[in-house]
Amino acid sequence: MFARARRWFLSGSCMVFALSGMPSYSQADEGMYLFNDVPRELLREKYDFEPSEEWLQHLQLSSVRFNSGGSGSFVSSNGLVLTNHHVASETLAKLSTEDRNLIEDGFLAKDFDEELKAPDLELNQLISIEDVTDRINEQITAGDDAEEAAKQRRAAIATIEKESLDQTGLRSDVVTLFGGAKYHLYRYKKYTDVRLVWAPETAAAFFGGDADNFEYPRYNLDATLMRVYEDGKPAKLKHFLEWNSEPAKEGDLVFVSGHPGRTQRIFTVEALEYLRDKRLPSVLDLLRRKEILLQQYGLEGKEAARRGRDELFGIQNARKAYTGMLAGLQDPQTFVAKRGRQDRLLAELKKSNENASLADAWAEVAAIQSEKAELLDRSVSLRSELFQIALRIVLLAEEDRKPNAERLPAYTESGRESLLAQLLSPAPIYDDLEMVKLADEVALLLENRGPEDTIVQEVLAGRSPKQVASDLVTKTKVKDVEFRQSLVDGGLDAVLASDDPMLRLARVIAPEYRRIDEISEQLSEREKQAYADITQATTMIEGTGGYPDATFTLRLAFGVISGYEERGERVDPTTNFAGAFTHSKEHEGQEDFDLPESWMNAKENIALDTQLNFVCTADIIGGNSGSPVVDRDGTLVGLIFDGNIQSLTSDYLYTDVQSRAVSVSGVAIPEALRSIYQAEGLADQLGN
Amino acid sequence: MFARARRWFLSGSCMVFALSGMPSYSQADEGMYLFNDVPRELLREKYDFEPSEEWLQHLQLSSVRFNSGGSGSFVSSNGLVLTNHHVASETLAKLSTEDRNLIEDGFLAKDFDEELKAPDLELNQLISIEDVTDRINEQITAGDDAEEAAKQRRAAIATIEKESLDQTGLRSDVVTLFGGAKYHLYRYKKYTDVRLVWAPETAAAFFGGDADNFEYPRYNLDATLMRVYEDGKPAKLKHFLEWNSEPAKEGDLVFVSGHPGRTQRIFTVEALEYLRDKRLPSVLDLLRRKEILLQQYGLEGKEAARRGRDELFGIQNARKAYTGMLAGLQDPQTFVAKRGRQDRLLAELKKSNENASLADAWAEVAAIQSEKAELLDRSVSLRSELFQIALRIVLLAEEDRKPNAERLPAYTESGRESLLAQLLSPAPIYDDLEMVKLADEVALLLENRGPEDTIVQEVLAGRSPKQVASDLVTKTKVKDVEFRQSLVDGGLDAVLASDDPMLRLARVIAPEYRRIDEISEQLSEREKQAYADITQATTMIEGTGGYPDATFTLRLAFGVISGYEERGERVDPTTNFAGAFTHSKEHEGQEDFDLPESWMNAKENIALDTQLNFVCTADIIGGNSGSPVVDRDGTLVGLIFDGNIQSLTSDYLYTDVQSRAVSVSGVAIPEALRSIYQAEGLADQLGN
């Protein structure tokens, strides 16, 4: 399954920077286009299709972003939102208890009253896009160094966002595109009252488990329905997708409207080498460590397994995705093409007198990679819910003392409401799980920074990592939402006065966290500048056109329903319900291939030839999970939930030879609702 | 479970050196004593027990070493050998097929004819020990550097071993003890026709799985019976242990006779810091990587799961053991005691004029740790069965051209028969599993040594790691035992003439393997010298006595059956069959806690109050698995199979506060044979 984009590795000070920019003639069905810059010519020439403004606007306003890291769409006039089970699973986990396991058992609300409010979900509907490149660049004084430029840019962005928020009341985010060549202001309507309506069992949604994940053919009902509310009532929506009652057919042109989280296609050879040789091996060591840790925790019993499950799934998913990504980079052939193009560009630049200096950008990117390597494994941002809350409370209090334009991006006025919703979320936090995670994080801190490190010594204070974790978790009051509220209300004075051990730890760690964050920020700024030059050079030599690298903002991708060849055999682009039962039988005795009881009981009722999953060539990536797939008429024919194993390199390299996006078929969902889940009423609402 | 000692991390060029030496007054029941140097005074004073020569010799000759990495004992006049299921499991795996899963389902031979011959098992019975320290030291010319000294020592050892083999026909190994202060010649009778008689199901032997592993209370029937044959008939044994029909009682004095694999108690503070900061974190990253790899492989289906299972278990076991070991080292309190003792020793040395220079040994050990760190992750010895066979065939052919005294230790005359038995073993090798392992090893080689490394480039030759593995495994003939035999027979000419791709790879890698091996060897030699000085200094200051660090040779440990306190509660030293059923019920729904069908069916027949497991304070470690536990009379009362979680630090630190050795109770085995496994006849043979 594609992941909640921001969950694991788009946060933290050592993140792979979410860079952007990819000017080049798009080949095949490559491309994640901006809604304000769709490739009209290409679509006309290749597919004889011309999207109208209304077509585009309707699709845009029917699309939603899950701020937890995924995509979705409005599918009824009364507020229904369609997304993936694995996008909803974080909410399912938060709504579950020892006695009510929504992830495992699924859920169906019989009426509005039974719909369950998510504790901290925020959905964003993109209302408008405005180019603010000039406004921002005006603020940068020529000749400033990277540090100063970053400060000025950050201030300009904070001011624009705040101004827009004040004027429109809409969430306002400035997005960096094409490696800093463009800045666009995105305005979103926020939905924060989101309720769970229906979710199938994990056995149906994640049928085949880790084994089948990122594979194809697939037979997964990776779908969930939620509903947005306004003023305590189901929201009345003008824009929502109509539901196509016909299955997709091979050769059909389809569109995907969603929020790809991050691609790295602009990356230079040296940046990819850094990924291959340093960053990804390190990330994978960490993921495997956490995977084993949570597996071990889950062995403690059924309830422990339930508590750790959602995070474990996320980690396993990331591990499998990164393993595929690294394997692609470890194939020397991957670099042959990349290096060829880079060498040609540099040779062209050399010939040009006036632009030869642009070639320095490649050297600058290479230099930055070495500096990034020094930050690897230096992070002090312990991965524990309680610590993260404490750290953010400390940072918030400190940042609040500064003028808005000087604050860290995450703490400016425009994002405040969303931040507070996270900080004050009543979602459950489990002491035993926190202890296990924190003990491991403290041990990791010790391993990474060494026993002589001042922070390590302050954190340990003569105790073992396990003892530290136990002391912190049993004694902190950060679990208590009211305590958090009192700190937020009390500001820096309250934060400094508190002797809560977790808060004390956050205060000890905050300065180093800021120091590393600042270095990262500077590297990122320099990298942006370099990639802006690379973008300019590339555009000059190869021409304009194309799309920026993914930024977890709304994009339009397109492609056709299309099978492919694998090991000499043809893989059909569609599967059906009958295939699910066959697949289950073929893997008898493997738990992950057991279909849920509801399916086994309903087998006679299901129209088994109903399409269940299909693949298409559209260019997607993690964060696209839950994206609607629509046809030429803009009606819904599918729901993106995965890419196949060959698509795992599409972070840095798109091909359509075997790489495919995997969807739940639109027709599968009402069929399942009616014949398996006894949810006729809900099925009737879809597309109406 | 304690591991087969040599399986995972006692081999390879980056091994933690199996050093020795630990002179110090033994406290509590600490100590793994040499059979020719048992602590008579201590036993007399503390336990009023004086072992006679006959008592000792009978126990020695009733004990066996499993060369695959474990211990066992003779328990009948007609050749029965008792060991752990997890020691036998490698053989069980090799004897299994898709249709006969001996690990999962267990095994019982109804008569001699049904007993299954292990494909490559070698058991060693220790016949005699001879001190050869002087003979070896005579060969070392004073003033030689480490490299030259190592060469001379190696030559002296090879000569002594060969001479002994020629004279006695017995396997003859020179063992380095007390950090090179002593060299003893161990002579073994070898048993190479070993047959499987009875094994319970994994569900009984490893009841509670990874969750309960290294925990207590336990309820495991981790036992297996084999039989040694001579001339095709059950061996007639003079020395075997009588079976005690009474259960062990709290306070009873017991002895453990077995083969502890490795301890590191002589280690200096700096050597332990190296373990904590470099070596163990690196080992654990590797173990977790392999654990996930084999888990993923197992998801491919039931047969894949079966093929990978034994290795996966071994890895999980090692991961849990090393995690506990590292956690102990990460507790700053661990170092307080170690550093205190070291500082006192160094202060004493400073006061002495003539011996002050001995203090240099501590600095030398510290320096060696930095050099070891440089070797970390440089290994080229790919962990694949086929590659290992190919590499050893190449090395054997090359070494055979040298005089015996100059060969690498593993290739001298004295070990040749055992080596060939391994190289020509008909044990199954699975192509699909080999490909998965080899692809990961090539990827790891690339990650560790970088893409510019000559060896990496030669191995890849423009291909991805996966493609390399696929090319090698599908095209090599090394799977074929006859092909191996032809290479062994043909010697270096045949090896050089072969165009087999795996052999070619081994030839590419062999020189670097030798280079790293040589550096390790030199470091080891210098470290031996340093620890010999440390031993001398310590003996001078703290007095003599004690035992050398473990060396996977026969040792005698002792202790008492004794419960302990944990989280304020008393843990009883014994469990019984009834407890197993209760424990299973408490963990209903967790697969690893399901007792096998045979137990459930037999529940009414079992005398449920029969003792099943017990703990004692004897000082044991991995390699002791399968060791007999005997009482004052030398009769068998138990079978070591594990240490509790608190004992995981005993690699470098023994305590008897909570640390315990865990055994299958002697009385449990005949009870299970009679009432669960319908093996009356076999039960009757035990101890007779």
Side-chain angles (χ1 to χ4, degrees):
Chain A
M1 60 199 181
F2 274 136
R4 295 185 286 265
R6 293 180 175 267
R7 187 84 180 284
W8 253 82
F9 286 99
L10 275 175
S11 60
S13 58
C14 287
M15 58 179 271
V16 177
F17 303 106
L19 283 162
S20 48
M22 179 63 190
S24 81
Y25 288 119
S26 297
Q27 300 161 335
D29 295 327
E30 177 174 349
M32 305 165 169
Y33 293 89
L34 299 171
F35 262 73
N36 57 346
D37 190 16
V38 297
R40 292 175 188 281
E41 203 174 329
L42 183 70
L43 285 170
R44 191 168 49 235
E45 282 175 12
K46 194 164 176 190
Y47 294 112
D48 190 24
F49 177 75
E50 220 156 333
S52 68
E53 273 313 311
E54 291 71 34
W55 188 94
L56 277 170
Q57 223 214 346
H58 178 69
L59 185 56
Q60 173 184 318
L61 291 169
S62 301
S63 303
V64 287
R65 178 170 75 176
F66 276 67
N67 251 3
S68 54
S71 300
S73 58
F74 292 131
V75 292
S76 79
S77 60
N78 60 356
L80 281 178
V81 179
L82 175 68
T83 188
N84 292 141
H85 181 272
H86 81 265
V87 169
S89 68
E90 190 177 325
T91 295
L92 295 172
K94 287 176 178 174
L95 289 171
S96 292
T97 62
E98 186 163 2
D99 306 317
R100 182 176 75 176
N101 191 334
L102 300 180
I103 293 205
E104 202 77 10
D105 304 333
F107 177 77
L108 175 66
K110 286 202 206 77
D111 51 39
F112 291 140
D113 285 348
E114 283 191 11
E115 296 179 2
L116 297 174
K117 188 167 187 300
D120 52 17
L121 204 52
E122 178 185 316
L123 303 194
N124 294 152
Q125 177 194 33
L126 177 61
I127 302 297
S128 71
I129 306 177
E130 184 185 334
D131 190 331
V132 292
T133 313
D134 293 342
R135 275 194 66 187
I136 286 172
N137 287 341
E138 276 163 18
Q139 302 301 312
I140 317 291
T141 323
D144 277 343
D145 64 10
E147 197 176 341
E148 190 52 34
K151 211 182 269 178
Q152 290 170 343
R153 191 168 289 126
R154 196 196 281 177
I157 288 172
T159 304
I160 290 169
E161 288 178 345
K162 173 75 163 56
E163 186 191 287
S164 168
L165 172 68
D166 290 346
Q167 282 171 5
T168 64
L170 295 172
R171 172 176 177 144
S172 301
D173 299 346
V174 170
V175 182
T176 305
L177 300 166
F178 291 107
K182 297 265 185 194
Y183 294 91
H184 287 182
L185 173 63
Y186 277 57
R187 290 198 186 89
Y188 298 102
K189 173 162 183 171
K190 287 197 304 188
Y191 291 89
T192 53
D193 185 351
V194 188
R195 305 193 189 175
L196 178 65
V197 179
W198 166 76
E201 310 88 337
T202 289
F206 198 44
F207 176 59
D210 197 17
D212 264 13
N213 196 11
F214 294 116
E215 304 286 344
Y216 196 77
R218 288 287 275 289
Y219 311 88
N220 293 36
L221 190 67
D222 191 352
T224 288
L225 288 164
M226 297 193 169
R227 194 187 305 274
V228 289
Y229 279 65
E230 286 186 298
D231 303 324
K233 283 182 211 138
K236 292 207 181 314
L237 301 175
K238 218 179 111 192
H239 290 281
F240 61 89
L241 298 176
E242 280 181 50
W243 204 284
N244 198 317
S245 58
E246 292 300 311
K249 292 186 311 296
E250 177 133 37
D252 281 358
L253 172 66
V254 290
F255 298 86
V256 177
S257 170
H259 303 81
R262 181 201 55 188
T263 51
Q264 306 168 325
R265 295 187 189 160
I266 200 180
F267 271 25
T268 66
V269 166
E270 291 75 16
L272 290 176
E273 285 174 343
Y274 168 72
L275 283 186
R276 177 192 63 191
D277 299 334
K278 309 269 187 207
R279 172 74 186 148
L280 290 184
S282 160
V283 166
L284 279 164
D285 273 340
L286 181 64
L287 284 170
R288 289 184 291 244
R289 177 183 182 121
K290 298 302 176 184
E291 182 168 354
I292 300 286
L293 185 79
L294 287 174
Q295 283 181 357
Q296 291 289 301
Y297 168 71
L299 291 181
E300 285 174 21
K302 225 172 150 178
E303 172 60 6
R306 185 191 71 76
R307 292 177 180 189
R309 185 148 196 176
D310 183 54
E311 189 170 356
L312 175 58
F313 277 8
I315 288 168
Q316 288 180 319
N317 185 56
R319 184 255 309 142
K320 197 161 179 179
Y322 280 98
T323 301
M325 230 175 112
L326 179 56
L329 288 170
Q330 286 178 335
D331 183 347
Q333 297 313 311
T334 300
F335 278 84
V336 170
K338 281 270 173 190
R339 193 178 290 279
R341 185 176 166 209
Q342 180 163 318
D343 288 350
R344 277 193 305 279
L345 279 168
L346 288 170
E348 286 294 327
L349 281 178
K350 247 190 194 155
K351 289 187 213 157
S352 138
N353 277 337
E354 46 186 331
N355 296 312
S357 71
L358 284 177
D360 295 347
W362 274 266
E364 169 75 347
V365 170
I368 290 166
Q369 308 314 308
S370 318
E371 294 184 49
K372 276 191 201 169
E374 285 169 32
L375 287 186
L376 261 188
D377 304 332
R378 298 295 299 164
S379 171
V380 290
S381 185
L382 310 173
R383 293 172 200 82
S384 123
E385 309 292 330
L386 292 170
F387 174 78
Q388 287 296 328
I389 291 170
L391 179 65
R392 285 188 291 168
I393 286 175
V394 169
L395 294 174
L396 176 67
E398 290 174 351
E399 292 299 296
D400 271 356
R401 295 272 169 123
K402 303 176 187 168
N404 184 48
E406 290 173 22
R407 291 183 200 159
L408 292 174
Y411 297 88
T412 56
E413 290 298 333
S414 63
R416 191 175 189 85
E417 227 179 80
S418 305
L419 175 65
L420 288 183
Q422 295 298 316
L423 278 185
L424 303 173
S425 165
I429 297 175
Y430 302 103
D431 277 10
D432 58 342
L433 179 54
E434 278 291 293
M435 272 188 232
V436 165
K437 283 160 69 174
L438 203 47
D440 188 63
E441 284 290 293
V442 173
L444 185 61
L445 190 77
L446 168 61
E447 289 164 37
N448 283 342
R449 297 178 64 102
E452 305 306 323
D453 181 81
T454 325
I455 296 215
V456 168
Q457 294 192 341
E458 282 196 69
V459 171
L460 289 182
R463 298 164 298 173
S464 69
K466 205 173 158 182
Q467 191 59 51
V468 171
S470 164
D471 288 352
L472 285 167
V473 175
T474 50
K475 288 173 195 156
T476 184
K477 286 179 294 174
V478 169
K479 280 164 277 188
D480 176 2
V481 177
E482 279 173 42
F483 177 66
R484 291 179 220 162
Q485 181 75 62
S486 75
L487 291 167
V488 168
D489 294 344
L492 192 56
D493 292 338
V495 164
L496 292 176
S498 169
D499 64 351
D500 186 276
M502 195 67 82
L503 222 58
R504 212 162 48 218
L505 180 70
R507 290 198 306 261
V508 163
I509 283 179
E512 177 69 359
Y513 175 85
R514 283 178 178 280
R515 194 185 69 83
I516 293 175
D517 190 55
E518 209 167 293
I519 301 175
S520 296
E521 186 71 23
Q522 282 168 30
L523 286 177
S524 166
E525 190 59 36
R526 281 171 52 198
E527 210 165 20
K528 273 181 195 166
Q529 192 50 54
Y531 278 119
D533 287 357
I534 288 173
T535 304
Q536 191 190 329
T538 313
T539 310
M540 228 162 51
I541 294 163
E542 298 187 345
T544 58
Y547 60 95
D549 261 324
T551 46
F552 197 44
T553 51
L554 193 66
R555 301 295 180 90
L556 185 69
F558 58 86
V560 290
I561 311 291
S562 165
Y564 55 101
E565 299 262 324
E566 197 175 21
R567 295 188 209 104
E569 306 226 338
R570 168 154 175 90
V571 179
D572 203 69
T574 66
T575 66
N576 61 25
F577 280 86
F581 287 95
T582 311
H583 196 54
S584 177
K585 203 158 183 82
E586 284 166 356
H587 290 267
E588 215 169 338
Q590 289 178 265
E591 213 184 325
D592 287 339
F593 291 88
D594 290 342
L595 284 165
E597 229 182 289
S598 63
W599 284 50
M600 299 313 287
N601 293 339
K603 192 173 172 187
E604 303 298 307
N605 303 331
I606 305 169
L608 291 170
D609 59 348
T610 307
Q611 196 176 83
L612 181 48
N613 287 175
F614 65 75
V615 288
C616 70
T617 59
D619 187 1
I620 61 156
I621 200 89
N624 265 118
S625 284
S627 300
V629 184
V630 302
D631 61 9
R632 287 169 186 258
D633 298 331
T635 63
L636 189 136
V637 294
L639 167 67
I640 292 287
F641 74 97
D642 210 353
N644 65 359
I645 205 97
Q646 291 90 347
S647 77
L648 288 177
T649 55
S650 64
D651 225 55
Y652 46 84
L653 199 71
Y654 173 90
T655 87
D656 66 358
V657 181
Q658 293 183 309
S659 177
R660 292 291 182 276
V662 190
S663 299
V664 181
S665 187
V667 294
I669 295 165
E671 176 61 26
L673 287 175
R674 289 181 210 281
S675 58
I676 302 174
Y677 295 101
Q678 281 92 49
E680 285 278 347
L682 187 56
D684 289 343
Q685 293 173 44
L686 297 179
N688 285 316
Chain B
M1 60 201 181
F2 274 137
R4 293 185 288 263
R6 292 180 175 268
R7 188 84 181 283
W8 254 82
F9 287 99
L10 274 175
S11 60
S13 58
C14 289
M15 59 177 271
V16 178
F17 302 107
L19 282 162
S20 48
M22 178 64 188
S24 82
Y25 288 118
S26 297
Q27 299 162 334
D29 295 328
E30 178 174 348
M32 304 164 169
Y33 293 89
L34 299 170
F35 262 73
N36 56 346
D37 190 15
V38 298
R40 292 175 187 280
E41 204 174 328
L42 184 69
L43 285 170
R44 192 170 47 234
E45 282 174 14
K46 194 165 176 187
Y47 294 112
D48 189 26
F49 178 77
E50 221 156 334
S52 67
E53 274 312 311
E54 292 70 36
W55 187 96
L56 277 169
Q57 224 215 344
H58 178 67
L59 185 55
Q60 173 185 319
L61 292 169
S62 302
S63 303
V64 287
R65 179 171 75 176
F66 276 68
N67 252 2
S68 54
S71 300
S73 57
F74 292 131
V75 291
S76 79
S77 59
N78 62 356
L80 281 178
V81 179
L82 176 67
T83 189
N84 292 141
H85 181 271
H86 80 266
V87 169
S89 67
E90 189 177 326
T91 296
L92 296 173
K94 287 174 177 175
L95 289 171
S96 292
T97 62
E98 184 163 3
D99 305 318
R100 182 176 74 175
N101 191 335
L102 300 181
I103 293 207
E104 202 78 10
D105 303 333
F107 177 76
L108 175 66
K110 286 200 208 78
D111 51 36
F112 293 140
D113 286 347
E114 282 191 11
E115 296 179 1
L116 299 174
K117 189 169 188 302
D120 52 17
L121 203 51
E122 177 185 316
L123 303 194
N124 294 153
Q125 176 194 31
L126 177 60
I127 302 298
S128 72
I129 307 177
E130 183 185 333
D131 190 331
V132 293
T133 312
D134 293 342
R135 275 193 67 187
I136 287 173
N137 286 341
E138 276 163 19
Q139 302 301 313
I140 318 290
T141 322
D144 277 345
D145 63 9
E147 197 174 342
E148 191 52 33
K151 212 181 267 178
Q152 290 170 341
R153 190 168 289 126
R154 196 195 281 177
I157 288 172
T159 304
I160 291 170
E161 289 176 346
K162 172 76 163 55
E163 186 191 287
S164 168
L165 172 67
D166 290 346
Q167 282 171 5
T168 64
L170 295 173
R171 172 175 176 144
S172 301
D173 299 346
V174 171
V175 182
T176 306
L177 300 166
F178 292 108
K182 298 265 185 194
Y183 295 90
H184 288 180
L185 173 62
Y186 277 56
R187 290 198 186 89
Y188 298 100
K189 173 162 182 171
K190 288 195 304 189
Y191 291 90
T192 52
D193 185 351
V194 187
R195 306 194 189 174
L196 178 65
V197 179
W198 165 75
E201 310 87 337
T202 288
F206 197 44
F207 176 58
D210 196 17
D212 263 13
N213 196 12
F214 294 116
E215 306 286 346
Y216 195 77
R218 290 286 276 289
Y219 313 88
N220 292 37
L221 190 68
D222 191 353
T224 288
L225 287 164
M226 297 192 168
R227 195 188 304 274
V228 289
Y229 278 66
E230 288 187 296
D231 303 324
K233 284 183 211 134
K236 291 207 183 314
L237 300 176
K238 217 180 110 192
H239 290 281
F240 62 89
L241 298 175
E242 280 181 52
W243 206 282
N244 200 318
S245 58
E246 292 300 311
K249 291 187 312 295
E250 176 132 38
D252 281 358
L253 172 66
V254 290
F255 299 85
V256 177
S257 170
H259 303 81
R262 180 201 54 188
T263 51
Q264 305 168 327
R265 295 188 190 159
I266 200 179
F267 272 25
T268 66
V269 167
E270 290 75 16
L272 290 176
E273 285 174 344
Y274 168 72
L275 282 186
R276 178 192 62 192
D277 300 333
K278 309 270 189 208
R279 172 75 187 149
L280 290 184
S282 159
V283 165
L284 279 164
D285 273 340
L286 181 63
L287 285 170
R288 289 184 291 244
R289 177 183 181 121
K290 298 301 175 185
E291 183 169 354
I292 300 287
L293 185 79
L294 286 175
Q295 281 181 357
Q296 291 289 302
Y297 169 70
L299 291 180
E300 285 174 22
K302 225 172 150 178
E303 171 61 5
R306 185 192 72 76
R307 292 177 179 188
R309 183 144 198 180
D310 183 53
E311 190 169 356
L312 175 58
F313 277 7
I315 289 169
Q316 288 179 320
N317 185 57
R319 184 254 310 141
K320 197 162 179 180
Y322 280 98
T323 301
M325 229 175 113
L326 179 57
L329 288 170
Q330 287 178 335
D331 183 346
Q333 297 313 312
T334 300
F335 277 84
V336 170
K338 281 268 171 191
R339 193 177 292 278
R341 185 175 168 210
Q342 180 163 320
D343 288 349
R344 277 194 304 278
L345 279 167
L346 288 169
E348 285 295 326
L349 281 179
K350 245 190 197 156
K351 288 188 214 157
S352 138
N353 276 336
E354 46 186 334
N355 296 310
S357 71
L358 285 176
D360 295 348
W362 275 266
E364 169 75 347
V365 169
I368 291 166
Q369 307 314 307
S370 320
E371 294 183 51
K372 275 191 199 168
E374 285 169 31
L375 288 187
L376 260 187
D377 304 332
R378 299 296 298 165
S379 170
V380 290
S381 184
L382 310 174
R383 292 171 202 83
S384 123
E385 309 293 328
L386 292 170
F387 175 77
Q388 288 296 328
I389 291 170
L391 179 65
R392 285 188 291 169
I393 287 175
V394 169
L395 294 174
L396 175 68
E398 290 173 351
E399 293 300 295
D400 271 355
R401 295 271 168 123
K402 303 177 188 167
N404 184 47
E406 290 173 23
R407 290 182 199 159
L408 291 175
Y411 298 89
T412 56
E413 291 298 332
S414 63
R416 191 176 188 86
E417 226 179 83
S418 304
L419 176 66
L420 287 183
Q422 295 297 318
L423 278 185
L424 303 173
S425 164
I429 297 175
Y430 302 103
D431 277 10
D432 57 344
L433 178 55
E434 277 291 294
M435 272 188 230
V436 164
K437 284 161 68 174
L438 203 48
D440 188 62
E441 284 289 295
V442 172
L444 185 62
L445 191 77
L446 169 60
E447 289 164 37
N448 283 341
R449 298 178 63 101
E452 305 306 323
D453 182 81
T454 324
I455 297 216
V456 169
Q457 294 191 340
E458 282 195 71
V459 172
L460 289 182
R463 299 164 299 173
S464 70
K466 204 172 158 182
Q467 190 60 50
V468 170
S470 162
D471 287 353
L472 285 167
V473 175
T474 50
K475 288 173 196 155
T476 184
K477 285 179 295 172
V478 169
K479 279 164 279 189
D480 176 2
V481 178
E482 280 174 41
F483 177 65
R484 292 179 221 162
Q485 181 76 61
S486 76
L487 291 167
V488 169
D489 294 343
L492 192 56
D493 293 337
V495 165
L496 292 175
S498 168
D499 63 351
D500 186 274
M502 195 67 81
L503 222 57
R504 212 163 47 218
L505 180 70
R507 290 199 307 262
V508 164
I509 282 179
E512 176 69 358
Y513 175 85
R514 284 178 177 280
R515 193 185 70 82
I516 292 175
D517 190 54
E518 209 167 295
I519 301 174
S520 297
E521 187 70 23
Q522 282 169 28
L523 287 176
S524 167
E525 191 58 36
R526 280 171 52 199
E527 210 164 20
K528 273 181 196 164
Q529 192 51 54
Y531 278 117
D533 286 357
I534 288 173
T535 303
Q536 191 190 330
T538 313
T539 309
M540 229 163 49
I541 293 164
E542 298 187 346
T544 58
Y547 59 95
D549 261 326
T551 45
F552 197 43
T553 51
L554 193 66
R555 301 294 180 89
L556 184 69
F558 58 86
V560 291
I561 311 291
S562 167
Y564 54 102
E565 299 263 324
E566 196 176 21
R567 294 187 210 105
E569 308 224 337
R570 168 153 175 90
V571 180
D572 203 68
T574 65
T575 67
N576 61 25
F577 281 87
F581 287 96
T582 311
H583 196 54
S584 177
K585 202 158 184 83
E586 284 166 357
H587 291 267
E588 214 170 338
Q590 289 178 266
E591 213 184 327
D592 287 341
F593 291 87
D594 291 343
L595 284 166
E597 229 181 288
S598 63
W599 284 51
M600 298 314 287
N601 293 340
K603 193 175 172 187
E604 302 299 308
N605 303 331
I606 305 169
L608 290 171
D609 59 349
T610 307
Q611 196 177 83
L612 181 47
N613 289 174
F614 65 77
V615 288
C616 70
T617 58
D619 188 3
I620 60 155
I621 200 88
N624 265 120
S625 286
S627 299
V629 184
V630 302
D631 62 9
R632 288 169 186 256
D633 298 331
T635 63
L636 188 135
V637 294
L639 168 66
I640 292 288
F641 75 96
D642 209 353
N644 65 358
I645 205 102
Q646 292 89 347
S647 78
L648 289 177
T649 56
S650 63
D651 225 57
Y652 47 83
L653 198 70
Y654 173 89
T655 87
D656 66 358
V657 182
Q658 294 183 306
S659 178
R660 293 292 181 275
V662 190
S663 300
V664 181
S665 187
V667 295
I669 295 165
E671 176 62 27
L673 287 176
R674 289 182 211 281
S675 58
I676 302 174
Y677 296 100
Q678 281 93 49
E680 285 279 346
L682 186 56
D684 289 343
Q685 294 173 44
L686 297 178
N688 285 315

